[in-house]
Amino acid sequence: ERMLLIDGLENKIPRAQHSAGYGALSCTASPNDAAAEAGGPPGGITIDQHIAQSIGKSTAHKSILFGFNKYKETNTIFASGRDKPQPNFVNPNEMFKTLFGSITGGEGLQKANARQRLLLDAMKADIARLQGELAPEEKRKLEVHLAAVEDFERQQASLANLKCDAPIAPAIDINAKVPVPEDILGSMWSMATLAVACGMTNVVGMACNTGMSHQRFLPFRRVHVGTQFESAGSVPGHGHEGRSLQKPAMDLIHGFNMGLIAKMIGTLSLIKEGDRSIWDNMVAVYTSDNGEAHHNSGARWPIVVLGNAGGALKSDGRYLAYPSRGTKVEAEKGKWR
């Protein structure tokens, strides 16, 4: 009931047959005619950073971006502006150090919580003292501040129940002879979920096997078990082998990625922000930097939207299919997007 499937959006990016690169999330072409699929520089800001500039100013991290591909150089996707790629984590160990390295053995967090407790107690004592000295109108205004403090306390208590401490450091070697994307991405996604739950950031982005697929796609090595790909030992991209292989391979890969999102939804649905959960106030978008196919045209760009951003979006179980430009349906109804 909070999913929206959108099909038929157009996003034509020049020289982007195997990947639109930064154009996937910016809808702008690389400057100087650079090839998007080869990781040409961004032509403009991507939507994640546009959003982060608005709702990321009050958090420790404006956004937390991560991902992985065969070359461990996933950033052909995120950008803060023209010719300004936005860095992202490719190593779970470095991500852990950056996000949680300042918290050792929980002592740092305990001290911070103790200081916060003293501050909140002092604020409530001041408010209680002032309430007896003010006129009724001023007293009502003060009660609003007191309610805000108490609401903040409740939120912090719910985070404390999550044990918002440093998680166990990942033990993953991204330089292993046979790296496992599922383990790498799963580890970084878990850290990103905790970062959202703890208020470290409001914006998370994952880029999985993005960029020129022939060169950068790292085969999945766990989701193949019990499938037609088990004898091969992995699930590659299967761009040229026909639908008999391509469709089941992509179903497994999309299923794994969406499973990570579902796990985040399950976790954040349990944490309250006022009368809502964190998830109630969020939205997730899942799409491909390759548009609709291995050799994409940009004329049909499918997107999955999950969540309604606190009621701001109509993600209500619909499937929206816009007609492609130049088709008979589009000519009759004029509704290409």
Side-chain angles (χ1 to χ4, degrees):
E1 73 279 6
R2 289 195 190 175
M3 180 180 286
L4 173 64
L5 305 179
I6 307 175
D7 196 5
L9 296 178
E10 184 174 292
N11 185 21
K12 289 183 175 291
I13 303 296
R15 303 182 68 189
Q17 188 180 41
H18 295 92
S19 170
Y22 298 102
L25 297 182
S26 71
C27 301
T28 60
S30 292
N32 305 322
D33 199 33
E37 66 180 20
I45 190 170
T46 52
I47 186 64
D48 53 286
Q49 294 307 296
H50 177 76
I51 293 171
Q53 286 183 2
S54 175
I55 66 172
K57 293 180 179 179
S58 61
T59 55
H61 300 274
K62 181 180 70 172
S63 61
I64 293 177
L65 310 172
F66 58 95
F68 197 81
N69 65 23
K70 193 172 184 178
Y71 291 158
K72 310 179 189 70
E73 298 169 355
T74 317
N75 191 24
T76 59
I77 292 297
F78 308 116
S80 57
R82 181 184 172 94
D83 289 318
K84 294 181 179 179
Q86 186 70 18
N88 61 267
F89 296 106
V90 297
N91 186 329
N93 303 300
E94 291 301 321
M95 184 174 176
F96 175 84
K97 290 177 185 177
T98 300
L99 298 182
F100 306 106
S102 61
I103 304 174
T104 56
E107 183 179 353
L109 186 61
Q110 290 170 6
K111 289 181 178 179
N113 286 339
R115 287 194 298 269
Q116 181 174 278
R117 179 77 261 162
L118 290 171
L119 176 61
L120 292 175
D121 287 345
M123 289 174 63
K124 289 200 296 183
D126 284 343
I127 290 173
R129 176 178 53 81
L130 286 170
Q131 279 181 319
E133 303 174 6
L134 296 175
E137 182 61 29
E138 262 41 47
K139 186 182 294 186
R140 280 192 292 270
K141 292 179 181 179
L142 207 56
E143 287 171 353
V144 173
H145 290 291
L146 181 60
V149 171
E150 291 174 345
D151 187 58
F152 179 76
E153 283 186 297
R154 283 192 294 271
Q155 182 181 352
Q156 294 305 300
S158 66
L159 292 178
N161 292 335
L162 259 189
K163 295 183 179 177
C164 237
D165 204 341
I168 298 174
I172 295 175
D173 180 10
I174 67 165
N175 297 312
K177 187 175 181 179
V178 183
V180 180
E182 294 96 319
D183 292 347
I184 296 167
L185 296 170
S187 174
M188 292 196 284
W189 190 261
S190 294
M191 285 187 274
T193 301
L194 183 61
V196 172
C198 294
M200 289 182 176
T201 190
N202 290 326
V203 180
V204 166
M206 181 180 82
C208 172
N209 271 335
T210 52
M212 174 55 159
S213 49
H214 286 295
Q215 299 168 352
R216 297 175 182 268
F217 194 96
L218 185 72
F220 282 66
R221 299 190 179 277
R222 292 202 192 284
V223 297
H224 68 287
V225 176
T227 74
Q228 68 191 84
F229 303 104
E230 185 162 9
S231 60
S234 66
V235 179
H238 284 294
H240 290 195
E241 292 85 351
R243 282 185 65 81
S244 63
L245 287 177
Q246 189 184 65
K247 186 180 185 302
M250 294 310 299
D251 284 347
L252 289 170
I253 292 167
H254 290 317
F256 172 79
N257 292 336
M258 291 295 283
L260 294 179
I261 297 176
K263 188 176 180 181
M264 174 182 270
I265 291 172
T267 299
L268 299 181
S269 293
L270 301 176
I271 309 170
K272 294 297 182 181
E273 289 183 324
D275 60 348
R276 297 174 179 267
S277 70
I278 292 180
W279 169 246
D280 288 331
N281 293 321
M282 291 180 66
V283 64
V285 175
Y286 182 67
T287 187
S288 170
D289 65 320
N290 243 49
E292 84 287 0
H294 176 69
H295 291 156
N296 84 84
S297 67
R300 180 185 174 193
W301 205 280
I303 292 176
V304 180
V305 178
L306 298 141
N308 60 20
L313 300 176
K314 293 181 180 179
S315 299
D316 53 7
R318 290 179 299 160
Y319 171 60
L320 297 181
Y322 295 108
S324 299
R325 178 160 46 166
T327 61
K328 181 180 178 182
V329 175
E330 189 271 323
E332 292 173 351
K333 300 185 178 181
K335 289 186 177 181
W336 71 276
R337 296 289 186 272

PDB file of all heavy atoms in Angstrom, residues 23-44:
ATOM      1  N   GLY A  23      24.007  11.041 -15.142  1.00  0.00           N
ATOM      2  CA  GLY A  23      22.733  11.462 -15.720  1.00  0.00           C
ATOM      3  C   GLY A  23      21.546  10.679 -15.212  1.00  0.00           C
ATOM      4  O   GLY A  23      20.402  11.126 -15.326  1.00  0.00           O
ATOM      5  N   ALA A  24      21.793   9.489 -14.615  1.00  0.00           N
ATOM      6  CA  ALA A  24      20.685   8.678 -14.105  1.00  0.00           C
ATOM      7  C   ALA A  24      19.931   9.406 -13.008  1.00  0.00           C
ATOM      8  O   ALA A  24      18.706   9.294 -12.894  1.00  0.00           O
ATOM      9  CB  ALA A  24      21.210   7.342 -13.588  1.00  0.00           C
ATOM     10  N   LEU A  25      20.653  10.167 -12.160  1.00  0.00           N
ATOM     11  CA  LEU A  25      20.014  10.867 -11.044  1.00  0.00           C
ATOM     12  C   LEU A  25      20.060  12.385 -11.194  1.00  0.00           C
ATOM     13  O   LEU A  25      19.595  13.104 -10.315  1.00  0.00           O
ATOM     14  CB  LEU A  25      20.671  10.465  -9.715  1.00  0.00           C
ATOM     15  CG  LEU A  25      20.545   8.998  -9.320  1.00  0.00           C
ATOM     16  CD1 LEU A  25      21.201   8.742  -7.972  1.00  0.00           C
ATOM     17  CD2 LEU A  25      19.093   8.548  -9.291  1.00  0.00           C
ATOM     18  N   SER A  26      20.625  12.867 -12.307  1.00  0.00           N
ATOM     19  CA  SER A  26      20.654  14.319 -12.523  1.00  0.00           C
ATOM     20  C   SER A  26      19.886  14.734 -13.775  1.00  0.00           C
ATOM     21  O   SER A  26      19.520  15.897 -13.918  1.00  0.00           O
ATOM     22  CB  SER A  26      22.100  14.808 -12.659  1.00  0.00           C
ATOM     23  OG  SER A  26      22.660  14.388 -13.895  1.00  0.00           O
ATOM     24  N   CYS A  27      19.654  13.782 -14.684  1.00  0.00           N
ATOM     25  CA  CYS A  27      18.992  14.069 -15.970  1.00  0.00           C
ATOM     26  C   CYS A  27      19.767  15.117 -16.774  1.00  0.00           C
ATOM     27  O   CYS A  27      19.168  15.861 -17.554  1.00  0.00           O
ATOM     28  CB  CYS A  27      17.544  14.506 -15.762  1.00  0.00           C
ATOM     29  SG  CYS A  27      16.542  13.275 -14.919  1.00  0.00           S
ATOM     30  N   THR A  28      21.078  15.192 -16.579  1.00  0.00           N
ATOM     31  CA  THR A  28      21.917  16.104 -17.345  1.00  0.00           C
ATOM     32  C   THR A  28      23.053  15.324 -17.991  1.00  0.00           C
ATOM     33  O   THR A  28      23.542  14.344 -17.437  1.00  0.00           O
ATOM     34  CB  THR A  28      22.526  17.197 -16.444  1.00  0.00           C
ATOM     35  OG1 THR A  28      23.325  16.576 -15.428  1.00  0.00           O
ATOM     36  CG2 THR A  28      21.440  18.034 -15.789  1.00  0.00           C
ATOM     37  N   ALA A  29      23.470  15.772 -19.173  1.00  0.00           N
ATOM     38  CA  ALA A  29      24.549  15.114 -19.895  1.00  0.00           C
ATOM     39  C   ALA A  29      25.901  15.560 -19.358  1.00  0.00           C
ATOM     40  O   ALA A  29      26.039  16.653 -18.803  1.00  0.00           O
ATOM     41  CB  ALA A  29      24.450  15.443 -21.385  1.00  0.00           C
ATOM     42  N   SER A  30      26.905  14.701 -19.526  1.00  0.00           N
ATOM     43  CA  SER A  30      28.259  15.078 -19.145  1.00  0.00           C
ATOM     44  C   SER A  30      28.737  16.235 -20.026  1.00  0.00           C
ATOM     45  O   SER A  30      28.423  16.279 -21.215  1.00  0.00           O
ATOM     46  CB  SER A  30      29.215  13.894 -19.308  1.00  0.00           C
ATOM     47  OG  SER A  30      28.928  12.885 -18.386  1.00  0.00           O
ATOM     48  N   PRO A  31      29.473  17.200 -19.456  1.00  0.00           N
ATOM     49  CA  PRO A  31      29.978  18.311 -20.252  1.00  0.00           C
ATOM     50  C   PRO A  31      31.059  17.855 -21.227  1.00  0.00           C
ATOM     51  O   PRO A  31      31.637  16.788 -21.078  1.00  0.00           O
ATOM     52  CB  PRO A  31      30.548  19.269 -19.199  1.00  0.00           C
ATOM     53  CG  PRO A  31      30.868  18.406 -18.031  1.00  0.00           C
ATOM     54  CD  PRO A  31      29.862  17.299 -18.040  1.00  0.00           C
ATOM     55  N   ASN A  32      31.300  18.672 -22.217  1.00  0.00           N
ATOM     56  CA  ASN A  32      32.357  18.410 -23.202  1.00  0.00           C
ATOM     57  C   ASN A  32      32.154  17.093 -23.945  1.00  0.00           C
ATOM     58  O   ASN A  32      33.119  16.457 -24.383  1.00  0.00           O
ATOM     59  CB  ASN A  32      33.739  18.399 -22.527  1.00  0.00           C
ATOM     60  CG  ASN A  32      34.008  19.666 -21.750  1.00  0.00           C
ATOM     61  OD1 ASN A  32      33.632  20.762 -22.187  1.00  0.00           O
ATOM     62  ND2 ASN A  32      34.633  19.540 -20.592  1.00  0.00           N
ATOM     63  N   ASP A  33      30.916  16.648 -24.040  1.00  0.00           N
ATOM     64  CA  ASP A  33      30.572  15.443 -24.801  1.00  0.00           C
ATOM     65  C   ASP A  33      31.251  14.196 -24.259  1.00  0.00           C
ATOM     66  O   ASP A  33      31.512  13.249 -24.989  1.00  0.00           O
ATOM     67  CB  ASP A  33      30.911  15.630 -26.286  1.00  0.00           C
ATOM     68  CG  ASP A  33      30.168  14.630 -27.170  1.00  0.00           C
ATOM     69  OD1 ASP A  33      29.028  14.275 -26.811  1.00  0.00           O
ATOM     70  OD2 ASP A  33      30.736  14.205 -28.186  1.00  0.00           O
ATOM     71  N   ALA A  34      31.595  14.195 -22.966  1.00  0.00           N
ATOM     72  CA  ALA A  34      32.220  13.011 -22.376  1.00  0.00           C
ATOM     73  C   ALA A  34      31.208  11.880 -22.300  1.00  0.00           C
ATOM     74  O   ALA A  34      30.011  12.107 -22.104  1.00  0.00           O
ATOM     75  CB  ALA A  34      32.771  13.336 -20.993  1.00  0.00           C
ATOM     76  N   ALA A  35      31.666  10.655 -22.435  1.00  0.00           N
ATOM     77  CA  ALA A  35      30.770   9.502 -22.446  1.00  0.00           C
ATOM     78  C   ALA A  35      30.242   9.219 -21.054  1.00  0.00           C
ATOM     79  O   ALA A  35      31.007   8.971 -20.128  1.00  0.00           O
ATOM     80  CB  ALA A  35      31.502   8.273 -22.983  1.00  0.00           C
ATOM     81  N   ALA A  36      28.923   9.231 -20.900  1.00  0.00           N
ATOM     82  CA  ALA A  36      28.309   8.963 -19.604  1.00  0.00           C
ATOM     83  C   ALA A  36      28.635   7.552 -19.140  1.00  0.00           C
ATOM     84  O   ALA A  36      28.926   7.318 -17.969  1.00  0.00           O
ATOM     85  CB  ALA A  36      26.798   9.159 -19.699  1.00  0.00           C
ATOM     86  N   GLU A  37      28.586   6.572 -20.068  1.00  0.00           N
ATOM     87  CA  GLU A  37      28.788   5.179 -19.673  1.00  0.00           C
ATOM     88  C   GLU A  37      30.224   4.897 -19.234  1.00  0.00           C
ATOM     89  O   GLU A  37      30.497   3.912 -18.555  1.00  0.00           O
ATOM     90  CB  GLU A  37      28.396   4.237 -20.797  1.00  0.00           C
ATOM     91  CG  GLU A  37      29.274   4.324 -22.019  1.00  0.00           C
ATOM     92  CD  GLU A  37      28.849   3.355 -23.111  1.00  0.00           C
ATOM     93  OE1 GLU A  37      27.689   2.889 -23.107  1.00  0.00           O
ATOM     94  OE2 GLU A  37      29.689   3.068 -23.963  1.00  0.00           O
ATOM     95  N   ALA A  38      31.159   5.776 -19.615  1.00  0.00           N
ATOM     96  CA  ALA A  38      32.556   5.595 -19.224  1.00  0.00           C
ATOM     97  C   ALA A  38      32.902   6.397 -17.976  1.00  0.00           C
ATOM     98  O   ALA A  38      34.071   6.510 -17.609  1.00  0.00           O
ATOM     99  CB  ALA A  38      33.475   6.008 -20.370  1.00  0.00           C
ATOM    100  N   GLY A  39      31.890   6.968 -17.313  1.00  0.00           N
ATOM    101  CA  GLY A  39      32.139   7.726 -16.096  1.00  0.00           C
ATOM    102  C   GLY A  39      32.518   9.161 -16.366  1.00  0.00           C
ATOM    103  O   GLY A  39      33.256   9.772 -15.584  1.00  0.00           O
ATOM    104  N   GLY A  40      32.032   9.723 -17.478  1.00  0.00           N
ATOM    105  CA  GLY A  40      32.292  11.128 -17.779  1.00  0.00           C
ATOM    106  C   GLY A  40      31.813  12.021 -16.663  1.00  0.00           C
ATOM    107  O   GLY A  40      30.908  11.649 -15.901  1.00  0.00           O
ATOM    108  N   PRO A  41      32.385  13.215 -16.492  1.00  0.00           N
ATOM    109  CA  PRO A  41      32.058  14.086 -15.358  1.00  0.00           C
ATOM    110  C   PRO A  41      30.583  14.470 -15.322  1.00  0.00           C
ATOM    111  O   PRO A  41      29.920  14.499 -16.363  1.00  0.00           O
ATOM    112  CB  PRO A  41      32.944  15.317 -15.593  1.00  0.00           C
ATOM    113  CG  PRO A  41      33.269  15.278 -17.043  1.00  0.00           C
ATOM    114  CD  PRO A  41      33.333  13.844 -17.426  1.00  0.00           C
ATOM    115  N   PRO A  42      30.063  14.756 -14.140  1.00  0.00           N
ATOM    116  CA  PRO A  42      28.636  15.092 -14.020  1.00  0.00           C
ATOM    117  C   PRO A  42      28.296  16.423 -14.675  1.00  0.00           C
ATOM    118  O   PRO A  42      29.085  17.363 -14.639  1.00  0.00           O
ATOM    119  CB  PRO A  42      28.412  15.153 -12.503  1.00  0.00           C
ATOM    120  CG  PRO A  42      29.766  15.395 -11.917  1.00  0.00           C
ATOM    121  CD  PRO A  42      30.741  14.730 -12.829  1.00  0.00           C
ATOM    122  N   GLY A  43      27.107  16.473 -15.239  1.00  0.00           N
ATOM    123  CA  GLY A  43      26.645  17.712 -15.854  1.00  0.00           C
ATOM    124  C   GLY A  43      25.823  18.569 -14.921  1.00  0.00           C
ATOM    125  O   GLY A  43      25.463  19.701 -15.244  1.00  0.00           O
ATOM    126  N   GLY A  44      25.501  18.045 -13.738  1.00  0.00           N
ATOM    127  CA  GLY A  44      24.708  18.812 -12.779  1.00  0.00           C
ATOM    128  C   GLY A  44      24.533  18.027 -11.491  1.00  0.00           C
ATOM    129  O   GLY A  44      25.006  16.890 -11.355  1.00  0.00           O
TER     130      GLY A  44
END
